[in-house]
Amino acid sequence: MDVNGLKVSKPGFNVLNASNLNLQFISIASQLPKLMGGSVHRGSAGPSDVYYGKTFTGIPLVFWTPSFGDHFNRDGWLLCGTTEYFYAQAFVYPDRIRFIHRTSNITFRYIVWDFST
């Protein structure tokens, strides 16, 4: 950690001189280019996959938030790994996000950051 924020390197790389490609996390998100963002709506329960259009060598940084009808997540964006928020879950893979929901009329909003550049 320094004046530029917090960095966490991938295993086997020195965080002091690792390139962005070899970092697991950078606290200053504006340093990372946004790969994509958007939303997916489902009227019925079940999984929804959103593909990135590329395959990362690891798990990318993803923020997401669900909306149930007119109820929006007032807690803000959630950081993905495998995370559950009420009846909604998000699983992040190297090539896609899988949203799973056990309720109807749900919209997932998401942002995927590209650490591989």
Side-chain angles (χ1 to χ4, degrees):
M1 177 177 257
D2 61 17
V3 295
N4 297 313
L6 175 69
K7 293 181 179 182
V8 178
S9 65
K10 291 180 181 178
F13 292 93
N14 184 337
V15 73
L16 298 176
N17 58 18
S19 69
N20 285 353
L21 179 63
N22 296 318
L23 294 176
Q24 288 281 59
F25 178 76
I26 303 172
S27 65
I28 302 171
S30 64
Q31 290 181 343
L32 295 173
K34 184 170 91 172
L35 175 67
M36 63 189 295
S39 63
V40 60
H41 177 79
R42 290 287 304 219
S44 59
S48 299
D49 287 343
V50 175
Y51 288 85
Y52 312 133
K54 68 185 288 180
T55 300
F56 290 95
T57 57
I59 302 298
L61 179 62
V62 174
F63 294 112
W64 70 288
T65 187
S67 303
F68 305 95
D70 292 333
H71 170 73
F72 290 91
N73 172 13
R74 306 254 185 253
D75 297 329
W77 293 93
L78 303 165
L79 178 62
C80 259
T82 300
T83 309
E84 183 167 3
Y85 183 84
F86 290 105
Y87 296 106
Q89 291 179 292
F91 298 87
V92 178
Y93 299 97
D95 65 337
R96 71 189 179 283
I97 313 164
R98 171 166 282 173
F99 297 111
I100 298 178
H101 39 94
R102 297 181 302 273
T103 186
S104 60
N105 195 24
I106 187 170
T107 300
F108 293 98
R109 292 180 290 168
Y110 59 88
I111 300 173
V112 180
W113 302 99
D114 190 349
F115 62 82
S116 66
T117 58

